[in-house]
Amino acid sequence: QVHSPTIRIVEKLSSPSVIFPETDGLMTREKGVLLITKTADCVPILLWNKKDQIIAALHCGWRGFFRGILEAFEKTCHDQGYAPSNFSAFLGPHLLVEHFEVAEDFIEQIPENKRKFLIQEKNRARYDLGSAVTSTLRSFGIQELHNSEISTYNSRDYFSYRAWLK
């Protein structure tokens, strides 16, 4: 993953295992294809659309979120003739807001339309990426949305870059 807004449509694979570099989102209608995204503290998002028989996997870290990975997903859906509102979504384990402390250099990078998820208290600032992702997906009309609410920071089962640094 490269924290990009790039979505790729996966069709007719030439090999049973394919890696798509420079891509943070995959969509497919191909039967028997398993889509995988790797994350550390970023939000892995799995989406499915039973009506159109399509699935997607997105890697959504803060950089990709700021660069528009979710908006790229919505645009790709429209370009392919799929209503985003027909999708359901699952947010996997990610860095929850209580451990997502940020500094001024981070705050300066937040696009204006994504600042509402910044929580500033006395001497502490945090970013709520999980809520940001949920809110954005809901704005696309996605109603069935599940959040694992599992913190990578506290989990022994999932890697956390921030927990590793401490």
Side-chain angles (χ1 to χ4, degrees):
Q1 280 69 31
V2 292
H3 304 281
S4 73
T6 304
I7 307 285
R8 182 181 187 112
I9 306 293
V10 178
E11 299 176 312
K12 300 187 176 42
L13 298 172
S14 59
S15 150
S17 179
V18 179
I19 295 173
F20 296 103
E22 309 297 316
T23 302
D24 284 278
L26 300 170
M27 295 176 75
T28 191
R29 293 190 72 197
E30 297 292 315
K31 301 274 189 237
V33 172
L34 175 66
L35 302 179
I36 297 171
T37 185
K38 289 172 38 175
T39 64
D41 291 323
C42 302
V43 183
I45 308 168
L46 305 176
L47 300 116
W48 61 97
N49 173 334
K50 290 179 184 177
K51 179 180 183 281
D52 298 306
Q53 299 292 299
I54 187 165
I55 59 172
L58 307 177
H59 167 261
C60 188
W62 65 266
R63 285 182 188 92
F65 179 69
F66 291 174
R67 292 176 181 154
I69 184 78
L70 298 181
E71 292 82 359
F73 167 76
E74 180 188 36
K75 181 181 181 324
T76 301
C77 287
H78 288 302
D79 290 350
Q80 296 293 314
Y82 307 121
S85 60
N86 287 336
F87 281 82
S88 299
F90 175 79
L91 279 58
H94 58 279
L95 188 66
L96 299 183
V97 65
E98 58 265 18
H99 293 111
F100 204 140
E101 289 194 37
V102 298
E104 191 59 39
D105 63 327
F106 177 95
I107 294 169
E108 292 168 358
Q109 296 179 63
I110 305 172
E112 192 59 42
N113 66 334
K114 297 180 180 188
R115 284 191 172 264
K116 64 185 171 186
F117 303 103
L118 176 66
I119 301 163
Q120 291 183 296
E121 299 158 336
K122 298 176 186 168
N123 297 326
R124 186 176 179 208
R126 294 173 290 129
Y127 196 76
D128 192 349
L129 185 59
S131 290
V133 168
T134 298
S135 176
T136 304
L137 292 174
R138 289 216 188 279
S139 77
F140 301 159
I142 296 175
Q143 297 301 310
E144 186 180 353
L145 197 147
H146 309 280
N147 186 335
S148 70
E149 293 293 339
I150 296 172
S151 172
T152 51
Y153 190 88
N154 294 331
S155 175
R156 295 179 188 264
D157 296 325
Y158 303 100
F159 177 76
S160 169
Y161 180 74
R162 289 192 183 217
W164 179 72
L165 286 177
K166 68 177 180 173

